[in-house]
Amino acid sequence: MALTLPRVIAHRGAPKEAPENTLVSFRRAHQLGARWIEFDVALTLDARPVIFHDDGLERTSDGQGLLAAATFESVKHLDAGGWFGRAFAGEPVPTLEETLDLAIDLGLGINMELKTDPGREAELATIAMAIARDMWPADRDPPLVSSFSPVAVAAARDVAPDWPMDLIYNQVPATWADDGRALGLVAFGANHKHLTREQVMAIRGAGYKLSSYTVNEVGRAAELFQWGVDAIFTDVPGEMVRKFGAN
Ligand code: G3P
Ligand code: MG
């Protein structure tokens, strides 16, 4: 599966300008010139996939407790924007379906990160992928599907064997090539704080794409691109697109 990544991927939308992982944030990233967005998909108690990063509801909504312990009905009533600023009060937690609809509408490429709850990795992947597979237009480049969980990636691949799969690491382990083969990966993601030039060269040299998160300084982004990193996830997509272009 060939995969073409733009250099700049808007991480959770445009989270310095609008509340992360909301539709308004994804729209803002698009306005700022990003061609791709990244978002986090997680399951509610009753197994509905929604766009949310943390395990707990507190930081990015007016809810309390765990997302995984909250029903979809209760999550849909949360305010996921007011914490960021009064202008965003009432902005809801998006469903996966709403987010895919928006991306399709705006012509945005997507990296769908499967954010798993221990024990629900395959459940999340199977449910989210069935929806994405059903909705995503056949004539568009398929989404990049990623996770820190190899179990989620394997389950996602079972649903969409022809879509590009990506395993994300905080620190790239010595066994990355084994993961690549075992999971049929096309790409890896890595935390730029621990990434070395040697790792970039080895991964790229083995034919994988490589993205790095979360890079908010232009100088660091330039260095990573120079090493051979294909794409960066950034909280400042406007600034990065101005510097490196949208493609
Ligand atoms: O995939 C890049 C990045 O999104 C991974 O970390 O915690 O921001 O989801 P996180
Ligand atoms: Mg993420």
Side-chain angles (χ1 to χ4, degrees), residues 11-12 21 38-41 53 111 113-115 146 148 168 233:
H11 181 240
R12 311 180 199 171
N21 279 330
E38 181 265 1
F39 54 83
D40 305 292
V41 189
H53 179 272
N111 173 205
E113 184 189 342
L114 304 170
K115 267 290 180 246
S146 68
F148 286 96
I168 317 167
F233 297 95

Side-chain angles (χ1 to χ4, degrees), residues 182-212:
L183 295 167
L185 302 179
V186 167
F188 289 96
N191 187 338
H192 84 95
K193 289 184 180 158
H194 308 296
L195 190 60
T196 67
R197 182 181 194 133
E198 289 67 34
Q199 288 168 335
V200 174
M201 288 174 68
I203 291 170
R204 295 290 289 110
Y208 295 97
K209 301 281 179 177
L210 178 61
S211 58
S212 190

